[in-house]
């Protein structure tokens, strides 16, 4: 590909490698800044050497890439809030005792069953100025009105540091929050919160107020709640109030991407604004005015949609496309893509680790690269057939590009995605155009009845169609295992196949065969690794006991009757089996004594029945048994005691104290997470 020879391509790739270096190795900031200073000096020296002699071209290239790497590493370091000295994570005893916090609400999140959730900016702790973002959980109270973005709150409470996942192969919510520069959570009750008299009126306040105004005006016009929540997600990217069942239907149908504002939506906005500006003459001044209006419109829509990574990416890229059109230059879409990546990551390097950001760019890249190849296979003369053929080729190109990454993160594949996109994309264009018009008028306190009703009915039937497709569960492939080596190998195969299809020569065929061999080696390596793994795990499940014994690809679960009957709905077990490329061979009731690799695991439950002549390696306490632990330890002398989440926390504290006195290790899954023997 010629694009790979473009200098900006290599610079962008090396810049991203610099971000990854800083993210995974976490070097000391001073070391990163020294690296940046040295690379800058080398770059300046090689630049002047190159000016005086072209023989220094290779040296200039190397120092340019070195500087790009160091800039990438420095960018992430500078934008990592926890490395800032005034960040709350450096405050003394911040997670150990209660403090008085003052904070400003920044963003409303999806509520949980018991709490309303916000992202808040900390202003001070105990009167001392601090900075940083936290997740604020406010207990739901029907007597208390919702807080608004910009509210300054004063709360006395205990700040809870994010904890790592407590079961194997679960979604790491702690890491997810950390990538968003959120390192702690605060829980509060509404009547204990002091609301400041002043509201911080910044861009977040005004956009949230505008969204709220639009939603309330639509509610007053008797716009049905379920359809309104979908409309708000489609047009403004706000998914906080959308019904979980509808979200699941969109996932199963392969259309969940339309619920988060991305390139598809921004493209519709650009076309819509361009259409409205058609009456403008094509003079130089008018073209400049049109460009400004387009850029402002795209930016305002991005802010209104909450500046999510996919929104920022799309707005940035389409802004460059608009500028290219204004300059009347043939805009190289690959170069536009690279510039948008570089600019976004310069200001928000953490976006690189956002799944939506990754999927958006991969999908867009494959649409630009692969879709023209599909389109050239057949060129129907009928305009309607051609339109739907274009939609189909775009869908296939995007799906092929994102398939390995989607399976890697979500472990499922919607088999009817192409049918969904054939129906949804034409429908979405109409809904987006009408929706933008209705919401724009709603912002000015006028909701015309017929357009609003048409929008409501359109979304109603869209949901019905999506629900109908999602109900065909036999076409939804779930629990597909895929690890990082297989992910990389799959992309090598896909990329080499596309190149071979383009070039059709021996060299490209050799590349495909090499990629297939690498995929086979990755598969063999994964299989060998899995088959040589033997482990026993005590899971952390509230009020329940679940034990997993795995020997290679075969797993056995030990638990009570109720869980055994519903093992198909056991998501924790399913995620474990999928991640470890294994199957459930046996389901067994809990036993008092389990032997594993020559070790004895003794279980004592609330019945307190156990053999007294056993000296176990592991003593597992479940269901809060009432016993004299001192006497028990002297009798059976275990090497370690494990207590799972089926025990009361108060009893576990007493056991921990006893074990400390007896100098026996104590592992509570509530505090430390799952316990593993391997």
């Amino acid at each position: 590909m010629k694009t790979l020879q473009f200098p900006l391509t290599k610079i962008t790739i090396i810049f991203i490698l610099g971000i990854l270096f800083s993210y995974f190795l976490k070097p000391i900031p001073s070391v990163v800044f020294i690296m940046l200073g040295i690379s800058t000096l080398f770059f300046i020296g090689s630049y002047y050497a190159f000016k005086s002699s072209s023989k220094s071209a290779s040296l200039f290239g190397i120092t340019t890439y070195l500087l790009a790497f160091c800039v990438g590493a420095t960018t992430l370091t500078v934008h990592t809030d926890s490395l800032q000295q005034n960040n709350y994570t450096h405050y003394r005893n911040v997670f150990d005792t209660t403090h008085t916090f003052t904070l400003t609400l920044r963003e409303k999140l999806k509520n949980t069953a018991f709490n309303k959730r916000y992202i808040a900016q900390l202003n001070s702790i105990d009167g001392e100025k601090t900075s940083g973002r936290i997740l604020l959980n406010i207990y739901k109270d029907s007597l208390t009105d919702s807080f608004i973005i910009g509210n300054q709150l004063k709360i006395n409470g205990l700040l809870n540091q994010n904890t790592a996942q407590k079961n194997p192969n679960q979604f790491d919510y702690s890491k997810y929050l950390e990538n968003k520069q959120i390192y702690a959570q605060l829980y509060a009750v509404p009547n204990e919160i002091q609301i400041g008299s002043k509201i911080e009126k910044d861009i977040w306040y005004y956009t949230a107020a505008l969204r709220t105004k639009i939603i309330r005006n639509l509610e007053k016009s008797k716009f049905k709640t379920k359809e309104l929540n979908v409309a708000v997600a489609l047009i403004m990217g706000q998914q906080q109030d959308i019904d979980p069942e509808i979200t699941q239907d969109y996932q199963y149908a392969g259309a969940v991407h339309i619920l988060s504002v991305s390139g598809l939506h921004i493209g519709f906005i650009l076309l819509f604004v361009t259409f409205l500006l058609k009456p403008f003459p094509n003079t130089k001044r008018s073209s400049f005015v049109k460009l400004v209006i387009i850029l402002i419109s795209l930016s305002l829509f991005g802010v209104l949609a909450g500046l999510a990574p996919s929104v920022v990416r799309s707005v940035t890229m389409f802004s460059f496309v608009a500028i290219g059109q204004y300059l009347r230059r043939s805009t190289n879409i690959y170069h536009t893509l690279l510039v948008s990546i570089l600019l976004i990551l310069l200001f928000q390097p953490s976006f690189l680790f956002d799944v939506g950001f990754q999927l958006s760019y991969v999908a867009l890249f494959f649409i630009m690269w692969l879709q023209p190849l599909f389109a050239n296979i057949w060129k129907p003369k009928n305009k309607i057939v051609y339109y739907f053929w274009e939609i189909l080729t775009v869908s296939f190109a995007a799906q092929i590009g994102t398939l390995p990454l989607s399976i890697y993160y979500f472990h499922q594949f919607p088999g009817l995605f192409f049918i969904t996109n054939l129906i949804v994309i034409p429908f979405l264009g109409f809904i987006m155009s009408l929706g933008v018009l209705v919401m724009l008028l709603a912002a000015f306190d006028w909701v015309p009845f017929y357009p609003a009703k048409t929008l409501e009915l359109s979304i109603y039937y869209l949901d019905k169609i999506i629900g109908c497709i999602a109900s065909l569960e036999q076409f939804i492939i779930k629990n597909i295992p895929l690890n990082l080596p297989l992910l990389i190998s799959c992309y090598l195969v896909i990329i080499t196949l596309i190149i071979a299809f383009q070039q059709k020569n021996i060299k490209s065929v050799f590349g495909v065969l090499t990629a297939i061999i690498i995929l086979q080696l990755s598969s063999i390596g994964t299989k060998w690794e899995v088959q040589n793994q033997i482990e026993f795990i005590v899971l952390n499940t509230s009020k329940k006991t679940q034990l997993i014994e795995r020997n290679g690809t075969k797993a056995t679960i030990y638990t009570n009757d109720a869980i055994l009957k519903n093992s198909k709905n056991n998501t924790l077990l399913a995620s474990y089996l999928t991640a470890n490329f294994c199957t459930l061979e046996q389901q067994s009731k809990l036993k008092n004594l389990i032997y594993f690799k020559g070790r004895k695991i003794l279980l004592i439950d609330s019945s307190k029945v156990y053999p007294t002549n056993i000296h176990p390696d592991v003593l597992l306490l479940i269901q809060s048994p009432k016993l004299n632990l001192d006497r028990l330890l002297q009798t059976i002398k275990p090497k370690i005691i494990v207590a799972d989440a089926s025990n009361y926390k108060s009893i576990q504290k007493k056991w921990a104290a006893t074990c400390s006195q007896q100098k026996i290790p104590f592992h509570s899954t509530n505090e430390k997470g799952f316990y593993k023997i391997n």
Side-chain angles (χ1 to χ4, degrees), residues 618-646:
V618 179
L619 172 60
L620 177 57
L621 301 175
I622 63 174
Q623 300 170 11
S624 304
K626 296 179 181 178
L627 43 78
N628 188 322
L629 191 59
D630 277 307
R631 188 186 306 160
L632 179 66
L633 295 180
Q634 291 172 9
T635 304
I636 64 174
K637 298 178 181 178
K639 294 179 181 178
I640 186 172
I641 293 180
V642 178
D644 72 358
S646 67

Side-chain angles (χ1 to χ4, degrees), residues 350-423:
S350 60
F351 278 8
L352 181 63
F353 310 102
D354 183 271
V355 177
F357 183 86
Q358 294 171 17
L359 288 171
S360 294
Y361 268 108
V362 169
L364 197 55
F365 173 77
F366 275 90
I367 287 170
M368 294 185 303
W369 186 26
L370 190 54
Q371 192 273 337
L373 299 179
F374 285 154
N376 287 331
I377 294 173
W378 179 46
K379 294 183 179 180
K381 295 180 180 179
N382 186 288
K383 288 186 178 180
I384 297 174
V385 176
Y386 180 77
Y387 174 71
F388 282 100
W389 173 242
E390 284 276 298
I391 293 172
L392 195 62
T393 54
V394 168
S395 299
F396 269 109
Q399 199 68 49
I400 289 170
T402 58
L403 180 60
L405 203 58
S406 297
I407 292 174
Y408 178 73
Y409 283 118
F410 308 116
H411 302 290
Q412 67 178 28
F413 172 67
L416 297 177
F417 72 91
F418 57 95
I419 294 176
T420 303
N421 283 308
L422 278 174
I423 298 169

